[in-house]
Amino acid sequence: MRTAVRTHVGKVRQINEDKAWGGRLAGGLTAVIVADGMGGHRAGEVASALAVDSLLQSLAAWDDTVSLEEKTDRIQEMIRKANKLIFETASLNEEFYNMGTTVDMALLNGSSLLIGHIGDSRVYRVREGQLELLTDDHTLVNELAKSGQLSPEEAANHPRRNVITRALGTDREVDVDVLALDWAAGDRLLLCSDGLSGLVEPAMLLAVLEEPDSTLDQQAETLINLALAAGGDDNVTVALAADQGEADATGGDTA
């Protein structure tokens, strides 16, 4: 399993509040994480870094031999632990008041794909020429769209489409979406902040990920450049995973 991670501050923001990691852990587990921070001056940057660091520390003790139910519980525990860390850090430091972050974490091992998700960063899977959105945006506009109060066109252009309804670290307790899916040979995984998904159409994402002669690193760079060409009005982060031979060493890419 190979991974590629890229992030860019964009053309408008002064600080990159995104944080990402991808790589293989001890025992053969591959992990990919994307966090899109938010808050006051530099607070979002702190929140996203705390989230990724906390999850990596928890993953060091991952046991892949337990049942699927136990794995699901463990993912929820890890993300709630990160939530507690961010919330308490913000509570003790006025400069970090109300900071938070989205988080997407994908764990891959053999034919198994596990995802933990909070916020509006997204996880996509490419399978047999199709791009599948696996996660559900935790946003006000998405809630209105699901209830039929907004059409897809209205939702796409709504002025409050970036208002999220669930984040890591903003409340003492948080609900975590956990998905257990299958992973097949030839699948590709894309985790990204809304700096990509909010600017680049799904068809363009698929075209890049289906390019047969490009490496994961090249695809990640291309996706970043597409977001910048479309305006780059936010930080943009991309993390990819695919079966392309064994990784060179245990470890990971970080950004």
Side-chain angles (χ1 to χ4, degrees):
M1 186 74 69
R2 288 193 178 273
T3 60
V5 176
R6 295 291 186 279
T7 188
H8 196 285
V9 68
K11 293 184 174 181
V12 176
R13 303 293 179 89
Q14 300 299 309
I15 297 171
N16 192 345
E17 296 185 311
D18 290 357
K19 185 72 174 177
W21 189 93
R24 191 177 64 191
L25 302 168
L29 181 74
T30 295
V32 191
I33 307 169
V34 166
D36 180 354
M38 59 188 184
H41 180 62
R42 304 195 75 89
E45 180 184 29
V46 172
S48 60
L50 286 172
V52 173
D53 290 346
S54 175
L55 290 173
L56 288 175
Q57 289 175 14
S58 294
L59 283 169
W62 180 262
D63 181 0
D64 211 52
T65 65
V66 300
S67 68
L68 177 59
E69 182 179 1
E70 288 176 285
K71 291 176 184 177
T72 298
D73 290 342
R74 180 61 176 148
I75 289 173
Q76 291 179 332
E77 290 172 6
M78 287 190 295
I79 294 178
R80 286 174 178 149
K81 179 181 177 182
N83 181 79
K84 180 181 179 182
L85 173 63
I86 298 168
F87 181 82
E88 292 183 349
T89 301
S91 299
L92 296 172
N93 296 271
E94 186 176 346
E95 61 183 316
F96 299 148
Y97 172 73
N98 206 36
M99 71 176 176
T101 182
T102 70
V103 69
D104 279 332
M105 179 175 69
L107 305 179
L108 295 135
N109 200 7
S111 60
S112 169
L113 168 62
L114 296 169
I115 296 169
H117 166 69
I118 295 174
D120 64 350
S121 296
R122 290 182 170 183
V123 181
Y124 294 91
R125 179 177 60 189
V126 176
R127 172 173 289 179
E128 297 180 350
Q130 301 293 319
L131 182 72
E132 308 168 86
L133 175 59
L134 302 180
T135 51
D136 191 31
D137 291 348
H138 298 142
T139 63
L140 174 63
V141 166
N142 189 42
E143 293 296 327
L144 294 173
K146 289 194 299 182
S147 66
Q149 298 179 60
L150 291 176
S151 68
E153 294 76 16
E154 290 171 331
N157 298 290
H158 199 280
R160 302 189 67 191
R161 61 186 179 277
N162 294 325
V163 176
I164 64 175
T165 55
R166 199 189 308 177
L168 195 70
T170 56
D171 295 293
R172 188 175 297 277
E173 303 293 336
V174 68
D175 291 329
V176 182
D177 289 357
V178 178
L179 306 173
L181 303 165
D182 67 304
W183 182 257
D187 286 355
R188 292 194 177 205
L189 198 68
L190 163 64
L191 280 68
C192 64
S193 61
D194 65 336
L196 178 72
S197 58
L199 291 176
V200 181
E201 293 295 325
M204 296 182 69
L205 300 178
L206 179 61
V208 173
L209 296 172
E210 284 281 275
E211 174 54 52
D213 297 323
S214 62
T215 66
L216 282 188
D217 288 318
Q218 291 169 333
Q219 291 171 6
E221 292 283 359
T222 299
L223 291 171
I224 293 288
N225 289 332
L226 284 174
L228 297 177
D233 59 2
D234 197 358
N235 307 147
V236 55
T237 296
V238 171
L240 303 174
D243 291 307
Q244 290 190 331
E246 287 300 316
D248 294 332
T250 301
D253 303 313
T254 187

